[in-house]
Amino acid sequence: MTLTNTGSGWVERMVMRVPTNPAPASTPVLVVFHKFGATEWDFYYNTSFFSEANARDWLLVAPYSASTKHFGCEPAQIN
């Protein structure tokens, strides 16, 4: 997914996993951030978060946060 109206001027990319059968009232959301120097796909290739969310039918959001370097990156903090 891509968001273009972020408030920072940077396009925000993210990986999402949407539940196939969401509960009527609420569905857990797992937010996953990538490590320094990586992209939004880091969690997919280097962790089990996607398969864990898939097994539980949870919503998962893994943002790029405008940069591979979050620390001190103002657009990443705004996004």
Side-chain angles (χ1 to χ4, degrees):
M1 170 181 253
T2 303
L3 300 176
T4 56
N5 187 12
T6 61
S8 70
W10 289 71
V11 173
E12 182 61 58
R13 304 182 322 237
M14 65 185 70
V15 177
M16 293 184 69
R17 189 229 169 254
V18 179
T20 54
N21 295 306
S26 64
T27 298
V29 178
L30 179 60
V31 180
V32 182
F33 291 97
H34 61 79
K35 66 184 173 213
F36 187 84
T39 71
E40 70 276 20
W41 286 97
D42 176 58
F43 85 97
Y44 187 81
Y45 295 110
N46 296 305
T47 74
S48 64
F49 290 133
F50 188 84
S51 60
E52 295 289 335
N54 196 43
R56 292 167 174 79
D57 206 25
W58 289 355
L59 176 64
L60 180 142
V61 179
Y64 180 57
S65 296
S67 176
T68 59
K69 301 168 183 148
H70 291 261
F71 187 77
C73 178
E74 187 176 356
Q77 293 173 12
I78 291 169
N79 287 2

Coordinates of all heavy atoms in Angstrom, one line a residue:
M1 N 0.8 -1.2 0.0 CA 0.0 0.0 0.0 C 0.9 1.2 0.0 O 2.0 1.2 0.6 CB -0.9 0.0 1.2 CG -1.7 1.3 1.5 SD -2.7 1.2 2.9 CE -4.2 1.1 2.1
T2 N 0.4 2.3 -0.6 CA 1.2 3.6 -0.7 C 0.3 4.7 -0.3 O -0.8 4.8 -0.8 CB 1.7 3.8 -2.1 OG1 2.5 2.7 -2.5 CG2 2.5 5.0 -2.1
L3 N 0.7 5.5 0.6 CA 0.0 6.8 1.0 C 0.8 8.0 0.5 O 2.0 8.1 0.6 CB -0.1 6.9 2.6 CG -0.8 5.8 3.3 CD1 -0.6 6.0 4.8 CD2 -2.2 5.7 2.9
T4 N 0.0 8.8 -0.2 CA 0.7 10.0 -0.8 C 0.5 11.3 0.0 O 1.2 12.2 -0.1 CB 0.2 10.2 -2.2 OG1 -1.2 10.3 -2.2 CG2 0.6 9.1 -3.1
N5 N -0.6 11.4 0.8 CA -0.9 12.6 1.6 C -0.5 12.3 3.0 O -1.3 12.1 3.9 CB -2.4 12.9 1.5 CG -2.7 14.2 2.1 OD1 -1.9 15.0 2.5 ND2 -4.0 14.4 2.3
T6 N 0.8 12.4 3.3 CA 1.3 12.1 4.6 C 1.6 13.3 5.5 O 1.8 13.1 6.7 CB 2.7 11.3 4.5 OG1 3.6 12.2 3.8 CG2 2.5 10.0 3.7
G7 N 1.6 14.5 5.0 CA 1.9 15.6 5.8 C 3.4 16.0 5.8 O 3.8 17.1 6.2
S8 N 4.3 15.1 5.4 CA 5.7 15.3 5.3 C 6.2 15.6 3.9 O 7.4 16.0 3.8 CB 6.5 14.1 5.9 OG 6.4 13.0 5.0
G9 N 5.4 15.3 2.9 CA 5.8 15.4 1.5 C 6.5 14.2 1.0 O 6.7 14.1 -0.2
W10 N 6.7 13.2 1.8 CA 7.3 11.9 1.4 C 6.2 10.9 1.2 O 5.2 10.8 2.0 CB 8.2 11.3 2.5 CG 9.5 12.1 2.6 CD1 9.7 13.4 3.1 CD2 10.8 11.7 2.3 NE1 11.0 13.7 3.1 CE2 11.7 12.7 2.6 CE3 11.3 10.5 1.7 CZ2 13.1 12.6 2.4 CZ3 12.6 10.4 1.5 CH2 13.5 11.4 1.8
V11 N 6.3 10.1 0.2 CA 5.3 9.0 -0.1 C 5.6 7.9 0.9 O 6.8 7.6 1.1 CB 5.4 8.5 -1.5 CG1 4.6 7.3 -1.7 CG2 5.0 9.6 -2.5
E12 N 4.6 7.4 1.6 CA 4.8 6.4 2.6 C 4.4 5.0 2.0 O 3.2 4.8 1.7 CB 4.0 6.7 3.8 CG 4.1 5.7 4.9 CD 5.6 5.6 5.4 OE1 6.1 6.6 5.9 OE2 6.1 4.5 5.3
R13 N 5.3 4.1 1.9 CA 5.0 2.7 1.5 C 4.8 1.9 2.8 O 5.4 2.2 3.8 CB 6.2 2.1 0.7 CG 6.5 3.0 -0.5 CD 7.6 2.3 -1.3 NE 8.7 1.7 -0.5 CZ 10.0 2.0 -0.6 NH1 10.4 2.9 -1.4 NH2 10.8 1.3 0.1
M14 N 4.0 0.8 2.6 CA 3.9 -0.1 3.7 C 3.4 -1.5 3.2 O 2.8 -1.6 2.2 CB 2.9 0.4 4.8 CG 1.5 0.6 4.3 SD 0.5 1.4 5.6 CE 1.1 3.0 5.6
V15 N 3.7 -2.5 4.0 CA 3.2 -3.8 3.7 C 2.1 -4.0 4.7 O 2.2 -3.7 5.9 CB 4.3 -4.9 3.9 CG1 3.8 -6.3 3.7 CG2 5.5 -4.6 3.0
M16 N 1.0 -4.6 4.2 CA -0.2 -4.9 5.1 C -0.6 -6.3 4.8 O -0.6 -6.8 3.7 CB -1.3 -3.9 4.8 CG -1.1 -2.5 5.1 SD -2.5 -1.4 4.9 CE -3.6 -2.0 6.2
R17 N -1.1 -6.9 5.9 CA -1.8 -8.2 5.9 C -3.2 -7.9 6.5 O -3.3 -7.5 7.6 CB -1.0 -9.2 6.7 CG -1.6 -10.6 6.5 CD -1.9 -11.3 7.8 NE -2.6 -12.5 7.5 CZ -3.9 -12.6 7.8 NH1 -4.6 -11.7 8.3 NH2 -4.6 -13.7 7.5
V18 N -4.2 -8.1 5.7 CA -5.6 -7.9 6.1 C -6.2 -9.2 6.4 O -6.1 -10.2 5.7 CB -6.3 -7.1 5.0 CG1 -7.8 -6.9 5.4 CG2 -5.6 -5.8 4.6
P19 N -6.9 -9.2 7.6 CA -7.6 -10.5 8.0 C -8.6 -11.0 6.9 O -9.3 -10.1 6.3 CB -8.3 -10.1 9.3 CG -7.6 -8.9 9.8 CD -7.1 -8.2 8.6
T20 N -8.7 -12.3 6.8 CA -9.7 -12.8 5.8 C -11.1 -12.8 6.4 O -12.1 -12.7 5.7 CB -9.3 -14.2 5.4 OG1 -9.1 -15.0 6.6 CG2 -8.0 -14.2 4.6
N21 N -11.2 -13.0 7.8 CA -12.4 -13.0 8.5 C -12.3 -12.2 9.7 O -12.3 -12.7 10.8 CB -12.8 -14.5 8.9 CG -13.1 -15.3 7.7 OD1 -13.9 -15.0 6.8 ND2 -12.4 -16.4 7.6
P22 N -12.3 -10.8 9.6 CA -12.2 -10.0 10.8 C -13.3 -10.2 11.7 O -14.5 -10.4 11.3 CB -12.1 -8.6 10.2 CG -12.7 -8.7 8.9 CD -12.5 -10.1 8.4
A23 N -13.0 -10.1 13.0 CA -14.1 -10.1 14.0 C -15.0 -8.9 13.9 O -14.5 -7.8 13.5 CB -13.5 -10.2 15.4
P24 N -16.3 -9.0 14.2 CA -17.2 -7.9 14.0 C -16.8 -6.7 14.9 O -17.0 -5.6 14.4 CB -18.6 -8.5 14.5 CG -18.4 -9.9 14.8 CD -16.9 -10.2 14.7
A25 N -16.3 -6.9 16.1 CA -16.0 -5.7 17.0 C -14.6 -5.2 16.9 O -14.4 -4.1 16.8 CB -16.3 -6.1 18.4
S26 N -13.6 -6.2 16.8 CA -12.3 -5.7 16.8 C -11.3 -6.8 16.3 O -11.7 -8.0 16.4 CB -11.8 -5.3 18.2 OG -11.8 -6.4 19.1
T27 N -10.2 -6.4 15.7 CA -9.2 -7.3 15.3 C -7.9 -6.8 15.7 O -7.6 -5.6 15.6 CB -9.2 -7.4 13.7 OG1 -10.5 -7.9 13.3 CG2 -8.1 -8.3 13.2
P28 N -7.0 -7.7 16.3 CA -5.7 -7.2 16.7 C -4.9 -6.7 15.6 O -5.0 -7.2 14.4 CB -5.0 -8.5 17.3 CG -6.2 -9.4 17.7 CD -7.3 -9.1 16.7
V29 N -4.1 -5.7 15.8 CA -3.2 -5.1 14.8 C -1.7 -5.2 15.3 O -1.4 -4.9 16.4 CB -3.5 -3.6 14.6 CG1 -2.5 -3.0 13.6 CG2 -4.9 -3.4 14.2
L30 N -0.9 -5.8 14.5 CA 0.5 -6.0 14.8 C 1.3 -5.0 13.9 O 1.2 -5.0 12.7 CB 1.0 -7.4 14.4 CG 2.5 -7.7 14.7 CD1 2.9 -7.5 16.1 CD2 2.8 -9.1 14.2
V31 N 1.9 -4.0 14.5 CA 2.7 -3.0 13.8 C 4.2 -3.4 13.9 O 4.7 -3.6 15.0 CB 2.5 -1.6 14.4 CG1 3.3 -0.5 13.6 CG2 1.0 -1.2 14.4
V32 N 4.8 -3.5 12.7 CA 6.2 -4.0 12.7 C 7.1 -2.9 12.0 O 6.8 -2.5 10.9 CB 6.3 -5.3 11.9 CG1 7.7 -5.8 11.9 CG2 5.4 -6.3 12.5
F33 N 8.2 -2.5 12.7 CA 9.1 -1.6 12.1 C 10.4 -2.3 11.7 O 10.8 -3.2 12.3 CB 9.4 -0.5 13.1 CG 8.3 0.4 13.4 CD1 7.5 0.2 14.5 CD2 8.0 1.5 12.5 CE1 6.4 1.1 14.8 CE2 6.9 2.3 12.8 CZ 6.1 2.1 13.9
H34 N 11.0 -1.8 10.6 CA 12.2 -2.4 10.1 C 13.4 -2.0 10.9 O 13.4 -0.9 11.5 CB 12.4 -2.2 8.6 CG 12.5 -0.7 8.2 ND1 13.6 0.0 8.4 CD2 11.6 0.2 7.7 CE1 13.5 1.2 8.0 NE2 12.2 1.4 7.6
K35 N 14.5 -2.7 10.8 CA 15.7 -2.3 11.4 C 16.4 -1.2 10.6 O 16.0 -0.9 9.5 CB 16.6 -3.5 11.6 CG 17.1 -4.1 10.3 CD 17.9 -5.4 10.5 CE 18.3 -6.0 9.2 NZ 18.4 -7.4 9.2
F36 N 17.4 -0.6 11.2 CA 18.2 0.5 10.6 C 18.8 0.0 9.3 O 19.4 -1.1 9.3 CB 19.2 0.9 11.6 CG 20.0 2.1 11.1 CD1 19.5 3.4 11.4 CD2 21.2 2.0 10.5 CE1 20.2 4.5 11.0 CE2 21.9 3.2 10.1 CZ 21.4 4.4 10.3
G37 N 18.6 0.7 8.3 CA 19.2 0.4 7.0 C 18.4 -0.5 6.1 O 18.9 -1.0 5.1
A38 N 17.2 -0.9 6.6 CA 16.4 -1.9 5.8 C 15.1 -1.2 5.3 O 14.9 0.0 5.6 CB 16.0 -3.1 6.7
T39 N 14.3 -2.0 4.6 CA 13.0 -1.4 4.1 C 11.9 -2.1 4.8 O 12.0 -2.9 5.7 CB 12.9 -1.7 2.6 OG1 12.6 -3.2 2.4 CG2 14.1 -1.3 1.8
E40 N 10.7 -1.7 4.4 CA 9.4 -2.3 5.0 C 9.3 -3.8 4.8 O 8.5 -4.4 5.5 CB 8.2 -1.6 4.4 CG 7.8 -1.8 3.0 CD 8.6 -1.0 2.0 OE1 9.7 -0.4 2.3 OE2 8.1 -0.9 0.8
W41 N 10.1 -4.4 3.9 CA 10.0 -5.8 3.7 C 11.0 -6.6 4.6 O 11.0 -7.8 4.6 CB 10.3 -6.2 2.3 CG 9.2 -5.8 1.4 CD1 9.1 -4.7 0.6 CD2 8.0 -6.6 1.2 NE1 7.9 -4.7 0.0 CE2 7.2 -5.9 0.3 CE3 7.6 -7.8 1.6 CZ2 6.0 -6.3 -0.2 CZ3 6.3 -8.3 1.2 CH2 5.6 -7.5 0.3
D42 N 11.8 -5.9 5.4 CA 12.7 -6.6 6.3 C 12.1 -7.6 7.2 O 12.5 -8.7 7.3 CB 13.4 -5.5 7.2 CG 14.3 -6.1 8.2 OD1 15.3 -6.8 7.8 OD2 14.1 -5.8 9.4
F43 N 10.9 -7.3 7.8 CA 10.2 -8.2 8.7 C 9.8 -9.5 8.0 O 9.8 -10.5 8.6 CB 9.0 -7.5 9.3 CG 7.8 -7.6 8.5 CD1 6.9 -8.6 8.7 CD2 7.6 -6.8 7.4 CE1 5.7 -8.7 7.9 CE2 6.5 -6.9 6.6 CZ 5.6 -7.9 6.8
Y44 N 9.4 -9.3 6.7 CA 8.9 -10.5 6.0 C 10.0 -11.5 5.8 O 9.8 -12.7 5.8 CB 8.3 -10.0 4.7 CG 7.6 -11.1 3.9 CD1 6.3 -11.4 4.2 CD2 8.3 -11.7 2.8 CE1 5.7 -12.4 3.5 CE2 7.6 -12.7 2.1 CZ 6.4 -13.1 2.4 OH 5.7 -14.0 1.7
Y45 N 11.2 -11.1 5.4 CA 12.3 -12.0 5.1 C 13.1 -12.4 6.3 O 13.8 -13.4 6.3 CB 13.2 -11.3 4.1 CG 12.5 -11.1 2.8 CD1 12.2 -9.9 2.3 CD2 12.2 -12.2 2.0 CE1 11.5 -9.7 1.1 CE2 11.5 -12.0 0.8 CZ 11.2 -10.8 0.3 OH 10.5 -10.6 -0.8
N46 N 13.1 -11.6 7.4 CA 13.9 -11.9 8.6 C 13.3 -12.2 9.9 O 13.9 -12.3 10.9 CB 14.9 -10.7 8.7 CG 15.8 -10.6 7.5 OD1 16.5 -11.5 7.1 ND2 15.8 -9.4 6.9
T47 N 11.9 -12.2 9.9 CA 11.2 -12.6 11.1 C 10.1 -13.5 10.8 O 9.8 -13.8 9.6 CB 10.6 -11.3 11.8 OG1 9.5 -10.9 11.1 CG2 11.6 -10.2 11.9
S48 N 9.4 -14.0 11.8 CA 8.2 -14.8 11.7 C 6.9 -14.1 11.9 O 5.9 -14.6 12.0 CB 8.3 -16.0 12.6 OG 8.2 -15.6 14.0
F49 N 7.0 -12.7 11.9 CA 5.8 -11.9 12.2 C 4.7 -12.1 11.2 O 3.5 -12.2 11.6 CB 6.2 -10.4 12.3 CG 7.0 -10.1 13.5 CD1 8.1 -9.2 13.4 CD2 6.7 -10.5 14.8 CE1 8.9 -8.9 14.5 CE2 7.4 -10.2 15.9 CZ 8.5 -9.3 15.7
F50 N 5.0 -12.2 9.9 CA 4.0 -12.3 8.9 C 3.3 -13.7 9.1 O 2.0 -13.8 9.1 CB 4.5 -12.2 7.5 CG 3.4 -12.2 6.5 CD1 2.8 -11.0 6.2 CD2 3.0 -13.3 5.8 CE1 1.7 -11.0 5.3 CE2 2.0 -13.3 4.9 CZ 1.3 -12.1 4.6
S51 N 4.0 -14.8 9.3 CA 3.4 -16.1 9.4 C 2.6 -16.2 10.7 O 1.6 -16.8 10.8 CB 4.4 -17.2 9.3 OG 5.4 -17.1 10.3
E52 N 3.1 -15.5 11.8 CA 2.4 -15.5 13.1 C 1.0 -14.7 12.9 O 0.0 -15.2 13.4 CB 3.2 -14.8 14.2 CG 4.5 -15.6 14.5 CD 4.2 -16.9 15.2 OE1 3.2 -17.0 15.9 OE2 5.1 -17.8 15.2
A53 N 1.1 -13.6 12.3 CA -0.2 -12.8 12.0 C -1.1 -13.6 11.1 O -2.3 -13.6 11.3 CB 0.2 -11.4 11.4
N54 N -0.6 -14.2 10.1 CA -1.4 -15.0 9.2 C -2.1 -16.2 10.0 O -3.2 -16.4 9.7 CB -0.5 -15.5 8.1 CG -1.3 -16.0 6.9 OD1 -2.3 -15.4 6.5 ND2 -0.9 -17.2 6.3
A55 N -1.3 -16.9 10.8 CA -1.9 -18.0 11.6 C -3.0 -17.5 12.5 O -3.9 -18.3 12.8 CB -0.8 -18.7 12.4
R56 N -2.9 -16.3 13.0 CA -3.9 -15.8 13.9 C -5.0 -14.9 13.2 O -5.9 -14.4 13.8 CB -3.3 -14.9 15.0 CG -2.4 -15.8 15.9 CD -1.5 -14.9 16.7 NE -0.7 -15.6 17.7 CZ 0.3 -16.3 17.5 NH1 0.8 -16.5 16.3 NH2 0.9 -17.0 18.5
D57 N -4.8 -14.7 11.9 CA -5.7 -13.9 11.1 C -5.8 -12.4 11.6 O -6.9 -11.8 11.7 CB -7.1 -14.5 11.0 CG -7.9 -14.1 9.7 OD1 -7.2 -13.7 8.7 OD2 -9.1 -14.0 9.8
W58 N -4.7 -11.9 12.0 CA -4.5 -10.5 12.5 C -4.2 -9.6 11.3 O -3.7 -9.9 10.3 CB -3.4 -10.4 13.5 CG -3.6 -11.0 14.8 CD1 -4.7 -11.6 15.3 CD2 -2.7 -11.1 15.9 NE1 -4.5 -12.1 16.5 CE2 -3.3 -11.8 16.9 CE3 -1.3 -10.7 16.0 CZ2 -2.6 -12.1 18.1 CZ3 -0.7 -11.0 17.2 CH2 -1.3 -11.7 18.2
L59 N -4.5 -8.3 11.6 CA -4.1 -7.2 10.7 C -2.6 -6.9 11.0 O -2.2 -6.9 12.2 CB -4.9 -6.0 10.9 CG -4.5 -4.7 10.1 CD1 -4.7 -4.9 8.7 CD2 -5.4 -3.5 10.6
L60 N -1.8 -6.8 10.0 CA -0.4 -6.5 10.2 C 0.0 -5.2 9.3 O -0.5 -5.2 8.1 CB 0.5 -7.6 9.8 CG 2.0 -7.4 9.9 CD1 2.7 -8.7 10.4 CD2 2.7 -7.0 8.6
V61 N 0.7 -4.3 9.9 CA 1.1 -3.1 9.2 C 2.6 -2.9 9.4 O 3.1 -2.9 10.5 CB 0.4 -1.8 9.7 CG1 0.9 -0.6 8.9 CG2 -1.1 -2.0 9.5
A62 N 3.4 -2.8 8.3 CA 4.8 -2.6 8.4 C 5.2 -1.4 7.5 O 5.3 -1.6 6.3 CB 5.6 -3.9 7.9
P63 N 5.3 -0.2 8.1 CA 5.6 1.0 7.3 C 7.1 1.1 7.0 O 7.9 0.6 7.7 CB 5.2 2.1 8.3 CG 5.4 1.5 9.6 CD 5.1 0.0 9.5
Y64 N 7.3 1.8 5.9 CA 8.7 2.1 5.5 C 9.2 3.3 6.3 O 10.3 3.4 6.7 CB 8.7 2.5 4.0 CG 10.1 2.9 3.5 CD1 11.2 2.0 3.6 CD2 10.2 4.1 2.8 CE1 12.4 2.4 3.1 CE2 11.5 4.4 2.3 CZ 12.6 3.6 2.5 OH 13.8 3.9 2.0
S65 N 8.3 4.2 6.7 CA 8.6 5.4 7.5 C 9.5 6.4 6.8 O 10.4 7.0 7.4 CB 9.1 5.0 8.9 OG 8.1 4.3 9.6
A66 N 9.4 6.5 5.5 CA 10.0 7.5 4.7 C 11.5 7.3 4.6 O 12.2 8.0 3.8 CB 9.8 8.9 5.2
S67 N 12.1 6.4 5.2 CA 13.6 6.2 5.2 C 14.0 4.9 5.7 O 13.3 4.3 6.5 CB 14.2 7.3 6.1 OG 15.6 7.2 6.1
T68 N 15.2 4.5 5.3 CA 15.8 3.3 5.9 C 16.5 3.6 7.2 O 16.9 2.7 8.0 CB 16.8 2.6 5.0 OG1 17.9 3.6 4.7 CG2 16.2 2.2 3.7
K69 N 16.6 4.9 7.5 CA 17.3 5.4 8.7 C 16.3 6.2 9.6 O 16.2 7.4 9.4 CB 18.5 6.1 8.4 CG 19.5 5.3 7.5 CD 20.5 6.2 6.9 CE 21.4 5.2 6.1 NZ 21.9 5.9 4.9
H70 N 15.6 5.6 10.5 CA 14.6 6.2 11.3 C 15.2 7.3 12.3 O 14.7 8.3 12.5 CB 13.8 5.2 12.2 CG 13.0 4.3 11.4 ND1 11.6 4.5 11.2 CD2 13.3 3.2 10.7 CE1 11.1 3.6 10.5 NE2 12.1 2.8 10.2
F71 N 16.3 7.0 12.9 CA 16.9 7.8 13.9 C 17.2 9.2 13.4 O 18.0 9.4 12.5 CB 18.2 7.2 14.5 CG 18.7 8.0 15.7 CD1 18.1 7.8 16.9 CD2 19.7 8.8 15.6 CE1 18.5 8.5 18.0 CE2 20.2 9.5 16.7 CZ 19.6 9.4 17.9
G72 N 16.5 10.2 13.9 CA 16.7 11.6 13.5 C 16.1 12.0 12.2 O 16.4 13.0 11.7
C73 N 15.3 11.1 11.6 CA 14.7 11.4 10.3 C 13.3 12.1 10.5 O 12.3 11.4 10.9 CB 14.6 10.1 9.5 SG 13.8 10.4 7.9
E74 N 13.2 13.4 10.3 CA 12.0 14.1 10.6 C 10.8 13.6 9.8 O 9.7 13.4 10.3 CB 12.1 15.6 10.4 CG 10.9 16.4 10.8 CD 11.1 17.9 10.7 OE1 12.3 18.3 10.4 OE2 10.2 18.6 10.9
P75 N 10.9 13.3 8.4 CA 9.8 12.8 7.7 C 9.3 11.4 8.2 O 8.1 11.2 8.2 CB 10.3 12.7 6.2 CG 11.4 13.7 6.2 CD 12.0 13.7 7.5
A76 N 10.2 10.6 8.7 CA 9.8 9.3 9.2 C 9.0 9.5 10.5 O 8.0 8.8 10.7 CB 11.1 8.5 9.5
Q77 N 9.4 10.5 11.3 CA 8.7 10.7 12.5 C 7.3 11.3 12.2 O 6.3 11.0 12.9 CB 9.5 11.6 13.5 CG 10.7 10.9 14.0 CD 11.7 11.9 14.7 OE1 11.3 13.0 15.1 NE2 12.9 11.4 15.0
I78 N 7.2 12.2 11.2 CA 5.9 12.8 10.8 C 5.0 11.7 10.3 O 3.8 11.7 10.7 CB 6.1 13.9 9.8 CG1 6.8 15.1 10.5 CG2 4.8 14.3 9.2 CD1 7.3 16.2 9.5
N79 N 5.5 10.9 9.4 CA 4.7 9.8 8.8 C 4.2 8.8 9.9 O 3.2 8.3 9.8 CB 5.5 9.1 7.7 CG 5.6 9.9 6.5 OD1 5.2 11.0 6.4 ND2 6.3 9.4 5.5

